[in-house]
Every structure is written in structure tokens, then in C-alpha cells.
Amino acid sequence: MKLEQWRGAWQQLIGPGSPYEVLETPGSGHKYFRHTAANVWAAIDSGRVHGDREFLVWEQQRLSFSQFFDQVDRLAGQLVQRFGVRPGDRVAIAMRNQPAWLVAFAAIQRCGAVCVPLNSWGLRDELFHGLQDSNAQVWVCDAPRLQLLADDLSAQRLATLVVGMPAGSPLQAHCHRFDDLLAEPLVSVPPARVGADDPALILYTSGTTSLAKGVLSTHRAVCQALVALEFQGAFCAVSSPERISVVINSGYAPTTLMAVPLFHVSGLHAQFLLALRSGRRLLLMYKWDVETALDLIRDEQCTQFNGAPVMMQQLLTSPRFGTADTRSLFGLGLGGAAPSSSLLAHLTQRKPEAVGGSGYGLTESNGIGAAIGGDQFFYKPAAAGWPLPIVDVRIGDSPDQPVPTGVSGVIWLRSPTLMSGYWNQPEASALTLQNGWLDTGDIGRLDEEGFLYITDRAKDLINRGGEKISAAEVESCACEMPGVIEAAALAMPDDDLGEVVLLVVRAEAGRAPDSEALKAFMAARLASYKVPARVHVQHTPFERNASGKTLKGVLKTQLLSA
């Protein structure tokens, strides 16, 4: 009975006259939302209606929606007048979560430029690759990121806007204090005219090669993704009225605690942009710490927390969870990695009245695939959910030959939220996008009720607490150490993080580095989350197939069984 009610609510939401009305292109069968913003700036600009309500809270900073937009308008004026930013130019951002990140993103969109968020956890090589690969004209960063690339940027004289630099601090000629630019008189520049098919965003994602690939998305793709996320919120509300009424009747103002990084679609789209459009208050965390998170939930009366499974596990297992400290917390969302069965059991048992939820999507799909929330989440917590209404899903080696219901295979997605391709990588784009279908590299199945389940990953990535790590990058780094002949990075199950890196190296006899020395060597060259948790050194060659590829499955089975 519940299932039919859910399907009825779904059809009503996507029907004629609804804000979430879905249309289909004749002939091709492509589905899309009828009502979306014309471009990303228009989607952002709609947040002005929330006026003097509080929007952002970070440490000692508090900004209303009006104050946020005042900073956006001021920065956009400076970008256009002083730095000559024009539609289509790339402007990069690299800093930890703070209000300036959000201001910069919105200002870049107001200029019609292409925003390039870079991984603020990355070290010099990763950041420099992103700047060079995107050919960024301007870079907005915080002081720690500037320090990492100071010498490189000095040689290139890349215009750099530095956040959090104290007044009077010495800066090179190409660097400018972010706060000084905001203090300049307002330069009135009209919002740039950009179309739905113009580029809006390049997000870098770890691939199976050592260098991250830039995922290029249009304004149409991002705007369709935002409506898909808003649809899921509306569907959760109409399909779980009793849970939602508890939240509404609590009297707490909708407030999200945000700990996931803004350079991910889960932070950028599902938290920042959704909160901006809907008038939600956002509390930003510079870095995750469970005790700090619980203090913020208590003091600021947060109603929603979305995080990676490792964050949720720490929150749910804290002695403070379920006390007065979390009285206001009703919404708990999982993302970034597949949750373990023990975590799902924790969530459903410790907060049975919660509006729980999770979803499935990729950077290449702007985070859109399947989603589940509310009563549905408690009905099938291990599922990724129903594919969202503009998403087609097929399972099998090819989208043209799908396997039967219940059979696992490669997941293919088709939707208007898909990337245009990988930036300047036509061959990689052609491999991943085939006749409008995205090869996700993930393995899954659809059950008889239409719920999607993710069962494995075909691509050679390690998912550590939501952070995707390229095995090839780890292996390449290990092989730089004297004495190492070859290396294989594997995903090792971990109760807290889901997966961690297990590194196997074959070393020369008599020159084999010990595991701690190898970890130290790699820690100086890789971001900390990419450093292996465990290293196994051997002298025998790796088993390979006929084409010379290491048989990692055999290697992993031998090690884990040992």
C-alpha cells in the first residue's frame, strides 16, 4: 500500500502544472524538468528574496543573505573591472570551507566565467595541475594554499586573490587581499549574458590515471541538477508527512551543519546552492571534528547534517548523541560513499524519528542519479533509492543490452545533468560518454520495485570516507622510492572509513624499504588521505594477465586471507 502511495505522489509531483513537471523530448525519450533557471547565476540570484535573514555562520563571521549578495556584487565588479574577467574565462578557487568560498563562486557566476573549484586537501602537484590544465586567469585562495604554490605563481604572475591575509602583510605584486577588494567602492556591472549550453563549472575528479580529470558542466546541467535535488526534498515531504510534521512543529529554523568540502558536488550543489535558494541557514566547518560538530549542533540548534559515512558513524556513536545536545537534529543525510550495514543499523535505531536519506551520483552527473529519504529510507536503507525522474538507468555491459531486473552489472546513466565531457580530454570523454549514456564504472542492480543498489566499483578507485583516491597515483608515487620495482594499491575494508589504501610493493633484494619509511616518503608527496594505511613488501613478482596487467583481485585475496 505504501509503495502505491509513493508512486502516486511521485507522479503528481512530475505532472503538468507542477514546479517539477517533467517533459520528454519526442523521438529520443530524453527527460528534463520544464522549469529551471536560465543559468547558474539566475539560480543563485533567486536567493536575494531572503533579505536580512541569517545565511552563513562561520567562526566569528555571520552574514545575512543581503550581506552575502553585497559581497558577491562587490567582488564581481572587481573581477570584471580590475582583472578583466569575461564570460568563458576560468577562475579557480582553492581554500577550506569559509564564507569567502561561497562569495567567490557566486561572483564568478555573475561574471559568466567558468568556476574551477580545486581540491583544498591536495598538495602542490595536484593544485598546480588544476591551475595549469584549466588555464585559469584568476585564482582565489587562502594563505595555506598560496604558500604551497608561492614559487610557481611568482614565475607565472597569475592574478591571485588571497583570503584571510592580515592587513599589512607583505604580498607579491600579482597577489591581492580579498578583503581589500571587498572594501573598494561598488562597481556596478550587469550580470553576464550566458546561455544554458555555455560552460559553467569544471570540477576535478580522481580517475584511474594519476592526474585528476576536469569534469566540464554546462549551466543547463547544473540547473537541472538543482531542480532534481529540490524535487527529492519535495517528494520526501509528501511521502513522509508524519516525519516532516515533527520537524515543522519543532519550531526550529531550518539550519544545516556543513562539514563536507565545497569542491565536491555534495557540498556545492546539495548543500550550498540548495540552502541559498531555499533560505536555509548554513553553518560551515573549516574541518571535521565530531566534538566541535556537536557543540555547533547544540549552540546553533542545527536541524540537518549531511556527511560522509565516517562522519555519521562518529556522530551516532558519540555519548552526546541522543542527549539535549542533539535535540534539534532531525535530518541525517549520507553521501560520498556507500554506508556499511552497521552504520545503517545505528542510524535507524538511534534516531528512528529522523528524516534519514542517502543518494547516488557522480561528479560526472552533477551528483544526480538515485536518491532515497524519509519513510523510503527506513523501508530500504541499503538501497540508493529510485532513479530521479529525469534519470534513465540501465544495467549491463552496454546500455543497448540491459540485463534483467535483479541482475548486477555496470550502471549506465542518462540525464540532462551529465557533464559535457572531460576538459581537453576527448578520448577519455568518448570512453565515458557513449551515445548520451554515462559509464559510471560502478556495479549495481535494480530490484523489482525499481530501487537501485550499488554493489561494487569497476573503476580502479579507492573510496576513503568519500574521498576518491586514484590507485595509479599512489602506485606511481611508491615507485619513485629507490628499491621499489612495482606497486599495487588496493582498497582494504575499514569500519570507520569504508575503505583505506593497502599498498603492495615488490622491492629489490637487499634494498627493500620498510613500511614506515615508505609511508613517510609518500606522505611528503601526497595528500595525507592518500597515504597507505598498510604496506606489504614482497620480493616475488605480481601475477599478471596475458596483456601484462596486474591481477589485483588475486593479490588482494591472498593478502586479506593471510
Side-chain angles (χ1 to χ4, degrees), residues 207-230:
T208 52
T209 58
S210 59
L211 293 174
K213 298 191 289 292
V215 174
L216 177 66
S217 292
T218 62
H219 288 270
R220 184 192 310 279
V222 176
C223 290
Q224 286 279 332
L226 292 179
V227 178
L229 292 166
E230 289 165 350

mmCIF file with all atom_site columns, all heavy atoms in Angstrom, residues 207-230:
data_model
loop_
_atom_site.group_PDB
_atom_site.id
_atom_site.type_symbol
_atom_site.label_atom_id
_atom_site.label_alt_id
_atom_site.label_comp_id
_atom_site.label_asym_id
_atom_site.label_entity_id
_atom_site.label_seq_id
_atom_site.pdbx_PDB_ins_code
_atom_site.Cartn_x
_atom_site.Cartn_y
_atom_site.Cartn_z
_atom_site.occupancy
_atom_site.B_iso_or_equiv
_atom_site.pdbx_formal_charge
_atom_site.auth_seq_id
_atom_site.auth_comp_id
_atom_site.auth_asym_id
_atom_site.auth_atom_id
_atom_site.pdbx_PDB_model_num
ATOM 1   N N   . GLY A 1 207 ? 40.625 10.026 -11.370 1.00 0.00 ? 207 GLY A N   1
ATOM 2   C CA  . GLY A 1 207 ? 40.308 8.968  -12.309 1.00 0.00 ? 207 GLY A CA  1
ATOM 3   C C   . GLY A 1 207 ? 41.237 7.800  -12.103 1.00 0.00 ? 207 GLY A C   1
ATOM 4   O O   . GLY A 1 207 ? 41.933 7.720  -11.106 1.00 0.00 ? 207 GLY A O   1
ATOM 5   N N   . THR A 1 208 ? 41.255 6.898  -13.072 1.00 0.00 ? 208 THR A N   1
ATOM 6   C CA  . THR A 1 208 ? 42.143 5.744  -12.952 1.00 0.00 ? 208 THR A CA  1
ATOM 7   C C   . THR A 1 208 ? 43.515 6.052  -13.527 1.00 0.00 ? 208 THR A C   1
ATOM 8   O O   . THR A 1 208 ? 44.377 5.191  -13.584 1.00 0.00 ? 208 THR A O   1
ATOM 9   C CB  . THR A 1 208 ? 41.538 4.518  -13.658 1.00 0.00 ? 208 THR A CB  1
ATOM 10  O OG1 . THR A 1 208 ? 41.175 4.903  -14.998 1.00 0.00 ? 208 THR A OG1 1
ATOM 11  C CG2 . THR A 1 208 ? 40.294 4.049  -12.945 1.00 0.00 ? 208 THR A CG2 1
ATOM 12  N N   . THR A 1 209 ? 43.710 7.293  -13.978 1.00 0.00 ? 209 THR A N   1
ATOM 13  C CA  . THR A 1 209 ? 45.056 7.750  -14.315 1.00 0.00 ? 209 THR A CA  1
ATOM 14  C C   . THR A 1 209 ? 45.540 8.607  -13.164 1.00 0.00 ? 209 THR A C   1
ATOM 15  O O   . THR A 1 209 ? 44.766 9.035  -12.322 1.00 0.00 ? 209 THR A O   1
ATOM 16  C CB  . THR A 1 209 ? 45.029 8.575  -15.618 1.00 0.00 ? 209 THR A CB  1
ATOM 17  O OG1 . THR A 1 209 ? 44.135 9.668  -15.441 1.00 0.00 ? 209 THR A OG1 1
ATOM 18  C CG2 . THR A 1 209 ? 44.575 7.728  -16.791 1.00 0.00 ? 209 THR A CG2 1
ATOM 19  N N   . SER A 1 210 ? 46.841 8.893  -13.141 1.00 0.00 ? 210 SER A N   1
ATOM 20  C CA  . SER A 1 210 ? 47.384 9.554  -11.963 1.00 0.00 ? 210 SER A CA  1
ATOM 21  C C   . SER A 1 210 ? 46.954 11.012 -11.844 1.00 0.00 ? 210 SER A C   1
ATOM 22  O O   . SER A 1 210 ? 46.920 11.552 -10.752 1.00 0.00 ? 210 SER A O   1
ATOM 23  C CB  . SER A 1 210 ? 48.912 9.462  -11.976 1.00 0.00 ? 210 SER A CB  1
ATOM 24  O OG  . SER A 1 210 ? 49.427 10.062 -13.142 1.00 0.00 ? 210 SER A OG  1
ATOM 25  N N   . LEU A 1 211 ? 46.631 11.675 -12.974 1.00 0.00 ? 211 LEU A N   1
ATOM 26  C CA  . LEU A 1 211 ? 46.229 13.072 -12.912 1.00 0.00 ? 211 LEU A CA  1
ATOM 27  C C   . LEU A 1 211 ? 44.712 13.192 -12.927 1.00 0.00 ? 211 LEU A C   1
ATOM 28  O O   . LEU A 1 211 ? 44.033 12.523 -13.715 1.00 0.00 ? 211 LEU A O   1
ATOM 29  C CB  . LEU A 1 211 ? 46.826 13.856 -14.091 1.00 0.00 ? 211 LEU A CB  1
ATOM 30  C CG  . LEU A 1 211 ? 48.349 14.022 -14.086 1.00 0.00 ? 211 LEU A CG  1
ATOM 31  C CD1 . LEU A 1 211 ? 48.810 14.690 -15.366 1.00 0.00 ? 211 LEU A CD1 1
ATOM 32  C CD2 . LEU A 1 211 ? 48.796 14.821 -12.869 1.00 0.00 ? 211 LEU A CD2 1
ATOM 33  N N   . ALA A 1 212 ? 44.190 14.064 -12.063 1.00 0.00 ? 212 ALA A N   1
ATOM 34  C CA  . ALA A 1 212 ? 42.742 14.266 -11.997 1.00 0.00 ? 212 ALA A CA  1
ATOM 35  C C   . ALA A 1 212 ? 42.251 14.869 -13.307 1.00 0.00 ? 212 ALA A C   1
ATOM 36  O O   . ALA A 1 212 ? 42.935 15.648 -13.960 1.00 0.00 ? 212 ALA A O   1
ATOM 37  C CB  . ALA A 1 212 ? 42.415 15.188 -10.827 1.00 0.00 ? 212 ALA A CB  1
ATOM 38  N N   . LYS A 1 213 ? 41.018 14.497 -13.687 1.00 0.00 ? 213 LYS A N   1
ATOM 39  C CA  . LYS A 1 213 ? 40.402 14.999 -14.910 1.00 0.00 ? 213 LYS A CA  1
ATOM 40  C C   . LYS A 1 213 ? 39.392 16.086 -14.560 1.00 0.00 ? 213 LYS A C   1
ATOM 41  O O   . LYS A 1 213 ? 38.674 15.989 -13.560 1.00 0.00 ? 213 LYS A O   1
ATOM 42  C CB  . LYS A 1 213 ? 39.710 13.875 -15.675 1.00 0.00 ? 213 LYS A CB  1
ATOM 43  C CG  . LYS A 1 213 ? 40.655 12.775 -16.148 1.00 0.00 ? 213 LYS A CG  1
ATOM 44  C CD  . LYS A 1 213 ? 39.978 11.826 -17.127 1.00 0.00 ? 213 LYS A CD  1
ATOM 45  C CE  . LYS A 1 213 ? 38.949 10.925 -16.460 1.00 0.00 ? 213 LYS A CE  1
ATOM 46  N NZ  . LYS A 1 213 ? 39.549 9.944  -15.556 1.00 0.00 ? 213 LYS A NZ  1
ATOM 47  N N   . GLY A 1 214 ? 39.308 17.107 -15.402 1.00 0.00 ? 214 GLY A N   1
ATOM 48  C CA  . GLY A 1 214 ? 38.360 18.188 -15.199 1.00 0.00 ? 214 GLY A CA  1
ATOM 49  C C   . GLY A 1 214 ? 37.018 17.843 -15.808 1.00 0.00 ? 214 GLY A C   1
ATOM 50  O O   . GLY A 1 214 ? 36.906 17.626 -17.014 1.00 0.00 ? 214 GLY A O   1
ATOM 51  N N   . VAL A 1 215 ? 35.984 17.785 -14.979 1.00 0.00 ? 215 VAL A N   1
ATOM 52  C CA  . VAL A 1 215 ? 34.630 17.473 -15.436 1.00 0.00 ? 215 VAL A CA  1
ATOM 53  C C   . VAL A 1 215 ? 33.937 18.785 -15.798 1.00 0.00 ? 215 VAL A C   1
ATOM 54  O O   . VAL A 1 215 ? 33.672 19.619 -14.922 1.00 0.00 ? 215 VAL A O   1
ATOM 55  C CB  . VAL A 1 215 ? 33.847 16.723 -14.341 1.00 0.00 ? 215 VAL A CB  1
ATOM 56  C CG1 . VAL A 1 215 ? 32.400 16.523 -14.754 1.00 0.00 ? 215 VAL A CG1 1
ATOM 57  C CG2 . VAL A 1 215 ? 34.506 15.383 -14.042 1.00 0.00 ? 215 VAL A CG2 1
ATOM 58  N N   . LEU A 1 216 ? 33.658 18.974 -17.083 1.00 0.00 ? 216 LEU A N   1
ATOM 59  C CA  . LEU A 1 216 ? 33.071 20.220 -17.579 1.00 0.00 ? 216 LEU A CA  1
ATOM 60  C C   . LEU A 1 216 ? 31.550 20.094 -17.647 1.00 0.00 ? 216 LEU A C   1
ATOM 61  O O   . LEU A 1 216 ? 31.031 19.171 -18.275 1.00 0.00 ? 216 LEU A O   1
ATOM 62  C CB  . LEU A 1 216 ? 33.627 20.545 -18.965 1.00 0.00 ? 216 LEU A CB  1
ATOM 63  C CG  . LEU A 1 216 ? 33.059 21.785 -19.658 1.00 0.00 ? 216 LEU A CG  1
ATOM 64  C CD1 . LEU A 1 216 ? 33.439 23.054 -18.900 1.00 0.00 ? 216 LEU A CD1 1
ATOM 65  C CD2 . LEU A 1 216 ? 33.533 21.855 -21.105 1.00 0.00 ? 216 LEU A CD2 1
ATOM 66  N N   . SER A 1 217 ? 30.851 21.025 -16.992 1.00 0.00 ? 217 SER A N   1
ATOM 67  C CA  . SER A 1 217 ? 29.388 21.015 -16.993 1.00 0.00 ? 217 SER A CA  1
ATOM 68  C C   . SER A 1 217 ? 28.844 22.347 -17.499 1.00 0.00 ? 217 SER A C   1
ATOM 69  O O   . SER A 1 217 ? 29.422 23.409 -17.234 1.00 0.00 ? 217 SER A O   1
ATOM 70  C CB  . SER A 1 217 ? 28.834 20.748 -15.583 1.00 0.00 ? 217 SER A CB  1
ATOM 71  O OG  . SER A 1 217 ? 29.127 19.437 -15.174 1.00 0.00 ? 217 SER A OG  1
ATOM 72  N N   . THR A 1 218 ? 27.715 22.275 -18.184 1.00 0.00 ? 218 THR A N   1
ATOM 73  C CA  . THR A 1 218 ? 27.043 23.479 -18.677 1.00 0.00 ? 218 THR A CA  1
ATOM 74  C C   . THR A 1 218 ? 26.116 24.045 -17.601 1.00 0.00 ? 218 THR A C   1
ATOM 75  O O   . THR A 1 218 ? 25.819 23.394 -16.596 1.00 0.00 ? 218 THR A O   1
ATOM 76  C CB  . THR A 1 218 ? 26.203 23.165 -19.913 1.00 0.00 ? 218 THR A CB  1
ATOM 77  O OG1 . THR A 1 218 ? 25.176 22.219 -19.544 1.00 0.00 ? 218 THR A OG1 1
ATOM 78  C CG2 . THR A 1 218 ? 27.047 22.576 -21.033 1.00 0.00 ? 218 THR A CG2 1
ATOM 79  N N   . HIS A 1 219 ? 25.633 25.252 -17.855 1.00 0.00 ? 219 HIS A N   1
ATOM 80  C CA  . HIS A 1 219 ? 24.628 25.856 -16.977 1.00 0.00 ? 219 HIS A CA  1
ATOM 81  C C   . HIS A 1 219 ? 23.369 24.988 -16.942 1.00 0.00 ? 219 HIS A C   1
ATOM 82  O O   . HIS A 1 219 ? 22.755 24.828 -15.882 1.00 0.00 ? 219 HIS A O   1
ATOM 83  C CB  . HIS A 1 219 ? 24.295 27.269 -17.466 1.00 0.00 ? 219 HIS A CB  1
ATOM 84  C CG  . HIS A 1 219 ? 25.401 28.253 -17.216 1.00 0.00 ? 219 HIS A CG  1
ATOM 85  N ND1 . HIS A 1 219 ? 25.493 28.996 -16.064 1.00 0.00 ? 219 HIS A ND1 1
ATOM 86  C CD2 . HIS A 1 219 ? 26.482 28.593 -17.972 1.00 0.00 ? 219 HIS A CD2 1
ATOM 87  C CE1 . HIS A 1 219 ? 26.572 29.768 -16.118 1.00 0.00 ? 219 HIS A CE1 1
ATOM 88  N NE2 . HIS A 1 219 ? 27.195 29.532 -17.255 1.00 0.00 ? 219 HIS A NE2 1
ATOM 89  N N   . ARG A 1 220 ? 22.974 24.442 -18.083 1.00 0.00 ? 220 ARG A N   1
ATOM 90  C CA  . ARG A 1 220 ? 21.784 23.587 -18.120 1.00 0.00 ? 220 ARG A CA  1
ATOM 91  C C   . ARG A 1 220 ? 21.943 22.391 -17.184 1.00 0.00 ? 220 ARG A C   1
ATOM 92  O O   . ARG A 1 220 ? 21.032 22.066 -16.419 1.00 0.00 ? 220 ARG A O   1
ATOM 93  C CB  . ARG A 1 220 ? 21.547 23.097 -19.541 1.00 0.00 ? 220 ARG A CB  1
ATOM 94  C CG  . ARG A 1 220 ? 20.252 22.275 -19.699 1.00 0.00 ? 220 ARG A CG  1
ATOM 95  C CD  . ARG A 1 220 ? 20.191 21.557 -21.049 1.00 0.00 ? 220 ARG A CD  1
ATOM 96  N NE  . ARG A 1 220 ? 20.466 22.448 -22.171 1.00 0.00 ? 220 ARG A NE  1
ATOM 97  C CZ  . ARG A 1 220 ? 19.571 23.265 -22.704 1.00 0.00 ? 220 ARG A CZ  1
ATOM 98  N NH1 . ARG A 1 220 ? 18.345 23.301 -22.219 1.00 0.00 ? 220 ARG A NH1 1
ATOM 99  N NH2 . ARG A 1 220 ? 19.910 24.033 -23.731 1.00 0.00 ? 220 ARG A NH2 1
ATOM 100 N N   . ALA A 1 221 ? 23.110 21.733 -17.243 1.00 0.00 ? 221 ALA A N   1
ATOM 101 C CA  . ALA A 1 221 ? 23.338 20.540 -16.430 1.00 0.00 ? 221 ALA A CA  1
ATOM 102 C C   . ALA A 1 221 ? 23.246 20.862 -14.942 1.00 0.00 ? 221 ALA A C   1
ATOM 103 O O   . ALA A 1 221 ? 22.605 20.133 -14.173 1.00 0.00 ? 221 ALA A O   1
ATOM 104 C CB  . ALA A 1 221 ? 24.703 19.930 -16.763 1.00 0.00 ? 221 ALA A CB  1
ATOM 105 N N   . VAL A 1 222 ? 23.871 21.962 -14.515 1.00 0.00 ? 222 VAL A N   1
ATOM 106 C CA  . VAL A 1 222 ? 23.857 22.326 -13.096 1.00 0.00 ? 222 VAL A CA  1
ATOM 107 C C   . VAL A 1 222 ? 22.443 22.725 -12.665 1.00 0.00 ? 222 VAL A C   1
ATOM 108 O O   . VAL A 1 222 ? 21.963 22.315 -11.594 1.00 0.00 ? 222 VAL A O   1
ATOM 109 C CB  . VAL A 1 222 ? 24.859 23.463 -12.808 1.00 0.00 ? 222 VAL A CB  1
ATOM 110 C CG1 . VAL A 1 222 ? 24.769 23.896 -11.342 1.00 0.00 ? 222 VAL A CG1 1
ATOM 111 C CG2 . VAL A 1 222 ? 26.283 23.022 -13.135 1.00 0.00 ? 222 VAL A CG2 1
ATOM 112 N N   . CYS A 1 223 ? 21.751 23.497 -13.477 1.00 0.00 ? 223 CYS A N   1
ATOM 113 C CA  . CYS A 1 223 ? 20.399 23.957 -13.107 1.00 0.00 ? 223 CYS A CA  1
ATOM 114 C C   . CYS A 1 223 ? 19.403 22.798 -13.068 1.00 0.00 ? 223 CYS A C   1
ATOM 115 O O   . CYS A 1 223 ? 18.530 22.753 -12.197 1.00 0.00 ? 223 CYS A O   1
ATOM 116 C CB  . CYS A 1 223 ? 19.931 25.041 -14.068 1.00 0.00 ? 223 CYS A CB  1
ATOM 117 S SG  . CYS A 1 223 ? 20.829 26.605 -13.893 1.00 0.00 ? 223 CYS A SG  1
ATOM 118 N N   . GLN A 1 224 ? 19.519 21.848 -13.997 1.00 0.00 ? 224 GLN A N   1
ATOM 119 C CA  . GLN A 1 224 ? 18.669 20.658 -13.943 1.00 0.00 ? 224 GLN A CA  1
ATOM 120 C C   . GLN A 1 224 ? 18.975 19.849 -12.681 1.00 0.00 ? 224 GLN A C   1
ATOM 121 O O   . GLN A 1 224 ? 18.068 19.306 -12.040 1.00 0.00 ? 224 GLN A O   1
ATOM 122 C CB  . GLN A 1 224 ? 18.883 19.795 -15.191 1.00 0.00 ? 224 GLN A CB  1
ATOM 123 C CG  . GLN A 1 224 ? 18.261 20.363 -16.463 1.00 0.00 ? 224 GLN A CG  1
ATOM 124 C CD  . GLN A 1 224 ? 16.773 20.085 -16.585 1.00 0.00 ? 224 GLN A CD  1
ATOM 125 O OE1 . GLN A 1 224 ? 16.259 19.105 -16.060 1.00 0.00 ? 224 GLN A OE1 1
ATOM 126 N NE2 . GLN A 1 224 ? 16.067 20.956 -17.288 1.00 0.00 ? 224 GLN A NE2 1
ATOM 127 N N   . ALA A 1 225 ? 20.259 19.789 -12.295 1.00 0.00 ? 225 ALA A N   1
ATOM 128 C CA  . ALA A 1 225 ? 20.649 19.055 -11.084 1.00 0.00 ? 225 ALA A CA  1
ATOM 129 C C   . ALA A 1 225 ? 20.037 19.687 -9.841  1.00 0.00 ? 225 ALA A C   1
ATOM 130 O O   . ALA A 1 225 ? 19.566 18.981 -8.935  1.00 0.00 ? 225 ALA A O   1
ATOM 131 C CB  . ALA A 1 225 ? 22.172 19.011 -10.966 1.00 0.00 ? 225 ALA A CB  1
ATOM 132 N N   . LEU A 1 226 ? 20.019 21.008 -9.787  1.00 0.00 ? 226 LEU A N   1
ATOM 133 C CA  . LEU A 1 226 ? 19.455 21.691 -8.618  1.00 0.00 ? 226 LEU A CA  1
ATOM 134 C C   . LEU A 1 226 ? 17.968 21.394 -8.476  1.00 0.00 ? 226 LEU A C   1
ATOM 135 O O   . LEU A 1 226 ? 17.473 21.141 -7.373  1.00 0.00 ? 226 LEU A O   1
ATOM 136 C CB  . LEU A 1 226 ? 19.689 23.197 -8.718  1.00 0.00 ? 226 LEU A CB  1
ATOM 137 C CG  . LEU A 1 226 ? 21.140 23.659 -8.600  1.00 0.00 ? 226 LEU A CG  1
ATOM 138 C CD1 . LEU A 1 226 ? 21.234 25.171 -8.750  1.00 0.00 ? 226 LEU A CD1 1
ATOM 139 C CD2 . LEU A 1 226 ? 21.746 23.230 -7.272  1.00 0.00 ? 226 LEU A CD2 1
ATOM 140 N N   . VAL A 1 227 ? 17.236 21.403 -9.581  1.00 0.00 ? 227 VAL A N   1
ATOM 141 C CA  . VAL A 1 227 ? 15.801 21.095 -9.505  1.00 0.00 ? 227 VAL A CA  1
ATOM 142 C C   . VAL A 1 227 ? 15.589 19.630 -9.120  1.00 0.00 ? 227 VAL A C   1
ATOM 143 O O   . VAL A 1 227 ? 14.655 19.299 -8.381  1.00 0.00 ? 227 VAL A O   1
ATOM 144 C CB  . VAL A 1 227 ? 15.089 21.442 -10.828 1.00 0.00 ? 227 VAL A CB  1
ATOM 145 C CG1 . VAL A 1 227 ? 13.604 21.080 -10.760 1.00 0.00 ? 227 VAL A CG1 1
ATOM 146 C CG2 . VAL A 1 227 ? 15.239 22.931 -11.134 1.00 0.00 ? 227 VAL A CG2 1
ATOM 147 N N   . ALA A 1 228 ? 16.470 18.742 -9.585  1.00 0.00 ? 228 ALA A N   1
ATOM 148 C CA  . ALA A 1 228 ? 16.364 17.328 -9.196  1.00 0.00 ? 228 ALA A CA  1
ATOM 149 C C   . ALA A 1 228 ? 16.523 17.165 -7.687  1.00 0.00 ? 228 ALA A C   1
ATOM 150 O O   . ALA A 1 228 ? 15.791 16.398 -7.044  1.00 0.00 ? 228 ALA A O   1
ATOM 151 C CB  . ALA A 1 228 ? 17.420 16.506 -9.937  1.00 0.00 ? 228 ALA A CB  1
ATOM 152 N N   . LEU A 1 229 ? 17.473 17.898 -7.109  1.00 0.00 ? 229 LEU A N   1
ATOM 153 C CA  . LEU A 1 229 ? 17.667 17.838 -5.656  1.00 0.00 ? 229 LEU A CA  1
ATOM 154 C C   . LEU A 1 229 ? 16.474 18.430 -4.917  1.00 0.00 ? 229 LEU A C   1
ATOM 155 O O   . LEU A 1 229 ? 16.043 17.901 -3.878  1.00 0.00 ? 229 LEU A O   1
ATOM 156 C CB  . LEU A 1 229 ? 18.946 18.590 -5.284  1.00 0.00 ? 229 LEU A CB  1
ATOM 157 C CG  . LEU A 1 229 ? 20.259 17.955 -5.766  1.00 0.00 ? 229 LEU A CG  1
ATOM 158 C CD1 . LEU A 1 229 ? 21.408 18.936 -5.635  1.00 0.00 ? 229 LEU A CD1 1
ATOM 159 C CD2 . LEU A 1 229 ? 20.562 16.675 -4.991  1.00 0.00 ? 229 LEU A CD2 1
ATOM 160 N N   . GLU A 1 230 ? 15.921 19.504 -5.446  1.00 0.00 ? 230 GLU A N   1
ATOM 161 C CA  . GLU A 1 230 ? 14.735 20.116 -4.828  1.00 0.00 ? 230 GLU A CA  1
ATOM 162 C C   . GLU A 1 230 ? 13.520 19.207 -4.958  1.00 0.00 ? 230 GLU A C   1
ATOM 163 O O   . GLU A 1 230 ? 12.702 19.116 -4.038  1.00 0.00 ? 230 GLU A O   1
ATOM 164 C CB  . GLU A 1 230 ? 14.478 21.484 -5.461  1.00 0.00 ? 230 GLU A CB  1
ATOM 165 C CG  . GLU A 1 230 ? 15.534 22.507 -5.048  1.00 0.00 ? 230 GLU A CG  1
ATOM 166 C CD  . GLU A 1 230 ? 15.571 23.760 -5.893  1.00 0.00 ? 230 GLU A CD  1
ATOM 167 O OE1 . GLU A 1 230 ? 14.912 23.801 -6.952  1.00 0.00 ? 230 GLU A OE1 1
ATOM 168 O OE2 . GLU A 1 230 ? 16.273 24.717 -5.503  1.00 0.00 ? 230 GLU A OE2 1
#
